[in-house]
């Protein structure tokens, strides 16, 4: 099954990236991390994954929308086209998102404060949705937004979480405090736009 090998490959590559970040954190011996090197590596990994997924979604969503719209109009069944059309771009996003959630799940279980049932449930469900979309080709058009574009709001959230978990960074330079404040307002704005209004707009014809 090529889809299974693709998923495993993305998981393996993601784990290598996480380990590289962890080794880099250990190498630089940053006092402000207070020895919480695994958590720091995970935050960096999540930040990078959110940036990458947002990029993939923004790059591909318009072109893929045109393809699916054309298929729907030619067959007179636009909704089934949105639900059942399989595309290479959406498949790749499902694979990346699945790997992102699996690595996040595995590391979170090990770390105190991240293994709450609601967090574990979130990672499991998100990974399951990405897995089924990749395996069966269901709802791949929607995955371009829900699994990729919407992750843009996660970028400032990662910055917020960094300062929340490592408050000593706020004492290093005044610019850190400005960055923290900007990330909070940016997250609030992006969340409202991408995960409330746009989320509802794309869901209404589901």
């Amino acid at each position: 099954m090529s889809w299974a090998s693709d998923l495993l490959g993305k998981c393996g590559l993601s784990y290598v990236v996480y380990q590289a970040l962890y080794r880099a954190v250990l190498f630089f011996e940053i006092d402000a991390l207070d020895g919480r090197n695994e958590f720091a590596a995970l935050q960096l990994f999540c930040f990078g994954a959110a940036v990458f997924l947002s990029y993939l979604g923004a790059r591909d969503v318009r072109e893929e929308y045109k393809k699916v719209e054309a298929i729907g109009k030619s067959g007179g069944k636009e909704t089934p086209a949105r639900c059942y059309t399989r595309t290479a771009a959406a498949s790749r996003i499902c694979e990346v998102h699945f790997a992102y959630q699996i690595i996040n799940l595995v590391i979170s279980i090990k770390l105190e404060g991240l293994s709450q049932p609601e967090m574990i449930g979130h990672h499991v469900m998100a990974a399951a949705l990405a897995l089924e979309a990749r395996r069966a080709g269901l709802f791949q058009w929607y995955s371009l937004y829900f699994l990729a574009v919407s992750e843009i709001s996660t970028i400032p959230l990662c910055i917020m979480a960094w300062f929340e978990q490592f408050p000593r960074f706020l004492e290093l330079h005044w610019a850190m405090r400005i960055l923290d404040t900007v990330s909070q307002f940016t997250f609030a704005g992006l969340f409202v736009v991408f995960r409330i209004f746009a989320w509802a707009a794309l869901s209404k014809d589901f």
Side-chain angles (χ1 to χ4, degrees), residues 159 163 170 173-186:
I159 298 174
F163 288 117
L170 296 172
H173 197 277
W174 59 265
M176 294 291 186
R177 294 188 290 275
I178 293 178
L179 179 59
D180 183 35
T181 301
V182 169
S183 69
Q184 293 178 38
F185 282 101
T186 303

Side-chain angles (χ1 to χ4, degrees), residues 11-123:
C11 287
L13 179 59
S14 296
Y15 186 71
V16 169
V17 170
Y18 168 78
Q19 285 295 324
L21 291 170
Y22 178 59
R23 300 300 174 188
V25 169
L26 289 177
F27 176 79
F28 286 107
E29 298 181 344
I30 304 170
D31 291 336
L33 295 179
D34 295 322
R36 302 176 66 201
N37 299 313
E38 284 188 296
F39 191 94
L42 180 61
Q43 285 297 312
L44 292 172
F45 174 80
C46 291
F47 177 83
V51 171
F52 187 52
L53 283 165
S54 300
Y55 162 73
L56 290 178
R59 185 191 66 180
D60 297 328
V61 68
R62 181 172 296 182
E63 190 63 30
E64 294 302 310
Y65 174 77
K66 291 179 181 177
K67 291 180 185 177
V68 172
E69 186 179 39
I71 293 171
K73 288 181 177 179
S74 66
K77 298 178 179 179
E78 189 177 351
T79 297
R82 290 200 305 268
C83 292
Y84 303 117
T85 300
R86 188 191 296 265
T87 70
S91 293
R92 179 170 56 250
I93 284 171
C94 290
E95 293 166 7
V96 173
H97 194 93
F98 176 81
Y100 161 52
Q101 294 295 344
I102 290 298
I103 298 302
N104 207 338
L105 171 65
V106 171
I107 305 303
S108 294
I109 290 174
K110 295 171 55 181
L111 298 178
E112 183 179 355
L114 293 180
S115 56
Q116 304 97 324
E118 61 272 21
M119 293 302 298
I120 299 301
H122 164 74
H123 295 314

